[in-house]
């Protein structure tokens, strides 16, 4: 999978966290919602030959990722492994600590999976048993899908839709 860029945007709520919604009024008024503005808290274009100290790996396999084969892209080879349920074997999960504010993230990815359960995407990751993942996966049943997965302790679930564009953009 080739990642062209990755962005984290600052978000703001006009109500502030924990503020109850206003009481009902005779004329409905829009309720303020969380809005992610155009202030970029972080952007990575993968233009250097190394990753900065803000990045960290889970089960890094340095022979299966590089920044040099396609300048301006992070290339990560997909291999057997998963973080689903008890099988915590996936390599090269790249993490960025989120900013200390509400945020959303976007990524542009070039990836065409061809074998069962090959996958690439973005993840909100606490550990192998607590995460939310959005990505593109190949399965013989769905062909190519955009897949949303979550796992929290013993609870696991996913949703999938058919999808075949490349490159593709993901946002959480």
């Amino acid at each position: 999978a080739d990642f062209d860029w990755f962005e984290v945007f600052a978000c703001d709520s006009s109500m502030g966290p924990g503020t109850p919604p206003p009481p009902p009024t005779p004329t409905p008024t829009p309720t303020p919602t969380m809005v992610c503005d155009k202030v970029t808290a972080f952007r990575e274009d993968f233009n250097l030959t190394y990753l900065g100290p803000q990045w960290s790996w889970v089960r890094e396999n340095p022979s299966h990722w590089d920044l040099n084969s396609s300048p301006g892209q992070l290339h990560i080879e997909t291999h057997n492994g998963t973080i689903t349920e008890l099988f915590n074997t996936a390599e090269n999960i790249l993490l960025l600590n989120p900013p200390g504010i509400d945020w959303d993230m976007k990524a542009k990815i070039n990836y065409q999976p061809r074998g069962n359960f090959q996958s690439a995407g973005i993840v909100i990751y606490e550990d192998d048993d607590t995460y939310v993942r959005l990505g593109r996966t190949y399965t013989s049943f769905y062909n190519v899908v955009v897949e949303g997965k979550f796992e929290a302790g013993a609870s696991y679930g996913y949703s999938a839709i058919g999808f075949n564009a490349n490159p593709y953009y993901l946002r959480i």
Side-chain angles (χ1 to χ4, degrees), residues 38-105:
K38 296 294 182 183
V39 177
T40 302
F42 176 79
R43 180 175 173 103
E44 176 69 72
D45 289 304
F46 303 112
N47 289 325
L48 301 175
T49 58
Y50 60 91
L51 291 172
Q54 67 275 18
W55 295 101
S56 62
W57 292 97
V58 174
R59 291 181 293 277
E60 178 186 12
N61 184 334
S63 65
H64 293 146
W65 73 269
D66 75 81
L67 290 163
N68 300 314
S69 61
S70 299
Q73 293 183 332
L74 167 64
H75 176 77
I76 300 176
E77 290 180 33
T78 57
H79 287 270
N80 289 338
T82 185
I83 55 174
T84 302
E85 301 180 59
L86 301 175
F87 307 102
N88 299 321
T89 57
E91 295 179 338
N92 288 337
I93 300 172
L94 182 59
L95 303 178
L96 172 72
N97 284 330
I101 56 174
D102 291 327
W103 53 270
D104 79 357
M105 66 178 157

Side-chain angles (χ1 to χ4, degrees), residues 26 29 82 108 122 126 162:
T29 56
T82 185
K108 179 182 177 188
I122 55 179
E126 183 174 303

